[in-house]
Amino acid sequence: MLLVPQAAEAASTSALKAQAIKGVDARAKMAQEITDSVFSFGELGFQEVETSRYLTDVLEKNGFAVQRGVAGLPTGWTARWTNGTGGPVIALGSDIDGIPKASQKPGIPWHEPLVAGAPGHGEGHNSGQAVNIVAALAVKELMEKNNIPGTLMLWPGVAEELVAGKAFMVREGVFKDVDDVIFTHVGDNLETAWGQPSGTGLVSVQYTFKGESAHSAGAPWRGRSALDAVELMDMGWNMRREHLRPEQRSHYVITDGGDQPNVVPSLATVWYYFREQDFKRIRANFELGNKIADAAAMMTDTSVTRRIVGTAAPRHFNRPMAEAAYANIKAVGLPKWTDGEQAFAKLVQTNVKSEKKEGLAVKLDEMKPPLEEPKSGGSDDIGDISWIAPTITINYPSNIPGLPGHNWANAIAMATPIAHKGVVAGAKVVAMTTIDLLTRPELRKAAKDYFTNVQTKDQKYEPMLAASDKPAVEINRDTMARFKPELAKYYYDPAKYPTYLDQLGIKFPITEMPKDAAPKP
């Protein structure tokens, strides 16, 4: 029977996907080593030095051309490989930074840090680049073998926990020639979505007040307290919360409150996140914050300056791309968990007092239409990229349901067989979806049509960075300088040990609490 061109294309794409799955499986060991290595570095945003060096070295050894220091980000980079001439540019991205005070021994179902007080991967960002690299190499092999034209571009989400990297990459044109973007993020199921998800966009701003120092007991009337200004700003914002939409989220930390009590603080800094669900409301809350800061400065006879650390646009994901990815998700399915892995996950859930106690996911979540009124919640600066090119996020099941997030508990599974299996499942979906985009021009056209005629028909991207705004690359520098020497003692050496658990001498899975151990708060 002769195949009509469309049917022939479908048959060819199907065959390529089957080969891609085999290509990912053949690189499962590589996926494990990347996941474990990045976990062991445990680096914070803007200081992902070892992580970026390691990942770019892997990519260069596999034929990718790497550009480092992109968009003024010392740990930012892109890695490109092109086959033939023409063809689409497909960008695969994932975050790489860790969480403060989240150091945790993997495979230990209670709190036991590798280095007390140190950062760690309490979000699971150690795993996403493993997904993308393994998927890209499997696809690259097929592109070469089958003369498929196109470009694969890999890139990192730098300082995502500060939402302070991707908007600068967008502003500097890193994605100007990209056709489609697949972003990956750790989760506890294998899923994707389209439209505006629940959550928020934001602007992240530091306000620094400058006053006059004086002896706090001898001549306090000669001082002008910058800390007073910070506290007045905080009180003013907290009073205003009652009159803001329930969907908004805002929070702050005082990063500099002075030096010592007997000196009137001449400098003080407070760092705010203003979150809302659309560009207009984010900007309105930012302007309100500026107004309250100016008022606090006037009340204390101090001055105030502000610095945008980062921004995140509200996210909007592409429907045709998500539907193609979800078909691949159903074809791949969830990993097969062992009884021991399930028992381990349930013990972790018990120890962190999770409402979920059923262990690891065994059923795929359905992809449903977006809510007509999305709920409020967190932010991700992938939102900025989603407004300049058709974009989706694929979540992969490398973590345990019901954990608190941004916490040491979220690091427990992230260098164990649970994470490794989830990475392989995610890499298969990414590889298959990349093949769809490379070989199905009608999918690329549908994705572009949705982006142009639905997503951006009435709403365009509204960048909040000014040309003068620069990445706050000094953030976390002192923290990493303090902890890196101790963390370096625990860097994973795959030449000596099959897995990071083997290097640490941890027997997996632990399925019950030892008599001499107890969950720690």
Side-chain angles (χ1 to χ4, degrees), residues 367-422:
M367 186 176 72
K368 299 178 181 179
L371 297 175
E372 290 187 11
E373 296 183 2
K375 297 179 181 178
S376 188
S379 313
D380 193 315
D381 49 2
I382 188 60
D384 289 76
I385 296 170
S386 76
W387 286 94
I388 63 167
T391 300
I392 58 169
T393 291
I394 293 173
N395 297 97
Y396 51 92
S398 284
N399 219 323
I400 298 168
L403 304 186
H406 289 187
N407 185 273
W408 57 264
N410 291 72
I412 289 173
M414 289 313 304
T416 72
I418 293 170
H420 305 150
K421 289 180 178 180

Side-chain angles (χ1 to χ4, degrees), residues 63 87 103 123 137 161 186-187 219 340 452:
S103 178
E123 170 83 351
L137 295 183
E161 298 302 344
V186 64
T452 302

Side-chain angles (χ1 to χ4, degrees), residues 78-369:
T78 59
R80 284 178 174 252
W81 178 82
T82 299
N83 196 48
T85 57
V89 179
I90 311 300
L92 309 180
S94 199
D95 301 323
I96 58 174
D97 58 330
I99 297 287
K101 298 181 176 63
S103 178
Q104 171 66 27
K105 291 181 180 178
I108 301 296
W110 56 84
H111 192 200
E112 191 169 313
L114 274 166
V115 176
H121 276 288
E123 170 83 351
H125 286 175
N126 61 298
S127 55
Q129 290 294 336
V131 172
N132 292 349
I133 291 174
V134 167
L137 295 183
V139 172
K140 174 178 177 285
E141 182 178 40
L142 294 175
M143 292 173 71
E144 291 173 315
K145 182 179 179 181
N146 296 277
N147 297 316
I148 301 171
T151 297
L152 303 177
M153 185 182 94
L154 278 72
W155 57 276
V158 170
E160 188 279 333
E161 298 302 344
L162 307 174
V163 285
K166 298 186 188 74
F168 289 98
M169 297 177 79
V170 169
R171 188 186 69 181
E172 298 305 316
V174 172
F175 303 94
K176 62 184 177 182
D177 66 339
V178 167
D179 291 283
D180 302 290
V181 179
I182 299 175
F183 187 69
T184 57
H185 197 283
V186 64
D188 53 48
N189 209 306
L190 192 56
E191 56 192 344
T192 190
W194 62 273
Q196 181 178 348
S198 292
T200 55
L202 66 78
V203 59
S204 166
V205 195
Q206 290 178 339
Y207 295 91
T208 296
F209 293 85
K210 183 177 181 180
E212 287 287 342
S213 64
H215 193 299
S216 297
W221 53 87
R222 298 184 62 177
R224 296 293 179 268
S225 174
L227 179 59
D228 285 352
V230 163
E231 290 184 302
L232 281 167
M233 179 184 179
D234 295 344
M235 285 188 284
W237 185 262
N238 288 334
M239 292 298 101
R240 193 61 180 261
R241 286 180 198 271
E242 180 183 357
H243 310 290
L244 299 176
R245 286 188 352 131
E247 291 81 3
Q248 75 87 28
R249 297 287 186 272
S250 54
H251 20 265
Y252 58 84
V253 293
I254 299 174
T255 57
D256 181 1
D259 298 302
Q260 57 194 56
N262 66 334
V263 178
V264 174
S266 60
L267 286 175
T269 299
V270 61
W271 184 3
Y272 269 80
Y273 280 12
F274 301 111
R275 304 185 196 247
E276 249 290 2
Q277 293 187 304
D278 58 57
F279 291 104
K280 181 179 179 180
R281 290 187 174 103
I282 295 168
R283 191 174 296 279
N285 281 359
F286 175 36
E287 291 172 353
L288 176 59
N290 293 340
K291 185 177 182 179
I292 292 174
D294 290 340
M298 286 190 286
M299 284 189 285
T300 53
D301 199 17
T302 61
S303 61
V304 62
T305 57
R306 58 190 62 87
R307 179 189 189 185
I308 293 182
V309 176
T311 71
R315 293 160 286 172
H316 193 114
F317 297 128
N318 191 270
R319 182 173 184 173
M321 288 176 63
E323 289 174 342
Y326 188 66
N328 295 325
I329 284 171
K330 290 191 291 184
V332 171
L334 288 165
K336 304 299 181 186
W337 310 115
T338 66
D339 291 343
E341 289 162 352
Q342 286 287 16
F344 171 81
K346 292 175 183 178
L347 180 57
V348 172
Q349 290 172 332
T350 297
N351 285 349
V352 301
K353 297 179 174 60
S354 171
E355 293 181 1
K356 296 184 177 181
K357 298 289 196 299
E358 65 273 17
L360 302 166
V362 294
K363 182 181 179 182
L364 287 172
D365 288 338
E366 293 184 19
M367 186 176 72
K368 299 178 181 179

